[in-house]
Amino acid sequence: MYRFLLTPRWWGINVFVLLAIPFCVFMGSWQLSRFEGRVQDHRAATEQAASDGHGTARPLDTMLPVDKSTSGRRVTASGRYGRQLLVPGRELDGKNGFYVLTLLRTDAGRSLPVVRGWLPGTADAGKAPAAPSGEITVTGALQASETPGDNGAGAQGGLPAGQTAAISSATLVNLVPDRLYDAWVTLDRADAGMKAVPATAPEGTGLDLKAFQNLGYTGEWFVFAGFVVFMWFRLLRREVEFQRDAALGLVPDQEQEQDGEREREGEEQGNPSAPTAV
């Protein structure tokens, strides 16, 4: 009864099923591993942020370049404050405001963007307190250069002079003549009259929409694998029922159907329709 499984048609179906199921399982497992990786990164970043908040600050140059292992770590840098910029459209504690960003020119001859604090309302240079003068040492959390969409960073242009949409060396290089670090620091304690800006987790370590998309894709691939198995059994059962009915004579075979069609055609040719009356 199951000899039909050896026909070319069923060979094709079986090969497709044998290839489709492992492929779906592999893709589902891969998406699941990506989700688990993001969860692990998020857990590690959270633990690191908690430990670094009270850890010993290290020299800036020893923590560069910024990556997942160094982002959020406490660093120190010394120099003199230079040009000051505002970063509008930043939220803190559910309120809209702006960052006060000041460039710290270090002894190495490069400038480090330092977020000295946050103020509520529309960005206004008159509200921002002046930076301390003279040689100063800052301590804060190391952060990677922003890209549009990070922590509220926008890509809008046409901002007034003295403002920047993103804290990024690629953006600031067009605004200041300084040699810049590809990083920035948010102070542990904001300067007088401002609120400190908390450090953010490095990109790709949070449980964001992309992480849950990986989880959703995992379910989809496993559902596809189950659907392939379901359809194979459904086709198999239908074929078995057809073969059983044919063995009992309940379903005419193909040759009998063709002979019946020939007989009907012969009868139609032997009995032409009556002539049409004029």
Side-chain angles (χ1 to χ4, degrees):
M1 182 178 294
Y2 292 94
R3 291 182 179 178
F4 62 85
L5 291 174
L6 301 178
T7 62
R9 173 173 172 267
W10 272 93
W11 267 108
I13 293 175
N14 293 335
V15 169
F16 172 78
V17 170
L18 291 176
L19 293 177
I21 293 177
F23 177 76
C24 291
V25 172
F26 169 77
M27 292 300 296
S29 301
W30 178 66
Q31 291 289 350
L32 181 60
S33 67
R34 294 197 63 186
F35 173 75
E36 292 175 342
R38 289 179 180 273
V39 172
Q40 183 62 32
D41 289 343
H42 175 70
R43 184 180 296 113
T46 302
E47 294 175 353
Q48 177 176 299
S51 61
D52 289 343
H54 305 284
T56 302
R58 300 183 180 182
L60 172 65
D61 291 338
T62 64
M63 304 300 288
L64 298 176
V66 185
D67 54 24
K68 290 182 179 180
S69 64
T70 60
S71 179
R73 303 290 293 271
R74 296 180 72 239
V75 297
T76 62
S78 299
R80 293 175 178 270
Y81 278 128
R83 185 174 178 184
Q84 185 161 282
L85 301 168
L86 306 181
V87 188
R90 299 305 177 99
E91 289 188 1
L92 185 62
D93 297 333
K95 298 179 180 179
N96 189 49
F98 60 96
Y99 294 167
V100 177
L101 175 70
T102 310
L103 298 179
L104 180 73
R105 182 180 290 275
T106 65
D107 296 336
R110 302 168 67 185
S111 292
L112 173 68
V114 177
V115 174
R116 296 171 46 232
W118 173 91
L119 290 172
T122 305
D124 184 355
K127 298 179 182 179
S133 58
E135 188 76 13
I136 190 170
T137 298
V138 299
T139 303
L142 184 65
Q143 301 281 265
S145 290
E146 294 179 334
T147 56
D150 289 346
N151 194 29
Q156 72 271 22
L159 291 175
Q163 296 187 19
T164 178
I167 308 174
S168 166
S169 58
T171 301
L172 295 175
V173 72
N174 298 316
L175 302 177
V176 296
D178 305 9
R179 293 176 55 225
L180 298 165
Y181 287 95
D182 189 17
W184 58 283
V185 168
T186 176
L187 296 182
D188 290 342
R189 296 182 179 180
D191 286 345
M194 297 186 290
K195 287 186 177 181
V197 176
T200 59
E203 184 178 1
T205 60
L207 293 181
D208 53 8
L209 179 60
K210 291 183 179 179
F212 289 101
Q213 281 180 340
N214 292 138
L215 186 61
Y217 293 149
T218 299
E220 288 182 1
W221 281 112
F222 286 131
V223 168
F224 290 159
F227 180 75
V228 171
V229 175
F230 168 76
M231 289 302 299
W232 185 85
F233 276 106
R234 184 175 180 181
L235 290 173
L236 177 67
R237 186 178 65 178
R238 188 173 66 177
E239 190 72 22
V240 169
E241 291 175 351
F242 180 83
Q243 294 292 335
R244 184 184 299 115
D245 292 343
L248 296 175
L250 301 177
V251 178
D253 58 25
Q254 187 175 2
E255 293 183 358
Q256 292 177 347
E257 291 180 355
Q258 293 177 351
D259 292 340
E261 291 179 358
R262 295 191 190 98
E263 291 178 359
R264 287 193 295 272
E265 291 177 357
E267 292 176 357
E268 291 176 356
Q269 293 175 359
N271 298 291
S273 57
T276 304
V278 178

